[in-house]
Amino acid sequence: MRNLDYVAAVTAKVGGEALRLGGVALPNRRLVLRWLRRQALRLADAHGHSLPPPAPWLGARDIRPVTFHGSDAPEALRAWAGDHGSQDHALSALESGLPALLTVVDPFVGLRVTLGAWPVDLWGWTAAASASHPSPPRTEGA
């Protein structure tokens, strides 16, 4: 079994412009999914209110706020975060090496918010990169 890490990101897209709202790299799929659920709830709970304060243990890793104009997108985020079947499906996808993605749309302004997580093989990537790019020869006192 390979040792995988996971990355998660939340992005927003309006028209052709994409904006990264935040992201993390974490050592296991449960932690990355927990982070995504927290961000989904923060976005949903901020609809019509100011964004809840970041958790003291996460601090700067919480995402930047986004304003929804309708209630469909916040309700979809809240439903996804609270649905155990959706969470199990996302965990299974990550365990299989596939991404876990959720996109919600605010049709009033064409805003698309995507929450995603991906497994990454940092150790395998590092080993492959060092094998194909050997270190330069060392020169002492040059």
Side-chain angles (χ1 to χ4, degrees):
M1 188 163 124
R2 293 185 349 209
N3 187 11
L4 298 176
D5 285 316
Y6 297 85
V7 295
V10 179
T11 58
K13 187 172 185 180
V14 178
E17 187 176 344
L19 175 65
R20 185 173 181 268
L21 300 176
V24 293
L26 294 166
N28 71 57
R29 64 186 177 272
R30 291 191 186 281
L31 287 176
V32 84
L33 192 59
R34 182 175 165 192
W35 184 85
L36 281 178
R37 276 196 317 265
R38 174 170 166 68
Q39 303 315 312
L41 290 172
R42 286 185 83 237
L43 287 170
D45 291 346
H47 178 65
H49 304 77
S50 60
L51 198 62
W57 53 274
L58 274 179
R61 294 194 292 176
D62 276 337
I63 61 172
R64 290 185 278 173
V66 65
T67 301
F68 294 107
H69 293 82
S71 61
D72 292 347
E75 289 306 314
L77 288 167
R78 194 173 284 108
W80 177 81
D83 181 31
H84 294 292
S86 295
Q87 303 309 306
D88 288 343
H89 179 70
L91 282 172
S92 295
L94 291 171
E95 185 176 24
S96 300
L98 300 171
L101 300 170
L102 170 71
T103 299
V104 295
V105 178
D106 184 350
F108 293 104
V109 291
L111 172 69
R112 299 174 60 86
V113 175
T114 300
L115 292 81
W118 300 265
V120 292
D121 184 1
L122 294 176
W123 291 106
W125 176 82
T126 303
S130 62
S132 61
H133 295 91
S135 300
R138 243 179 120 171
T139 56
E140 298 289 333

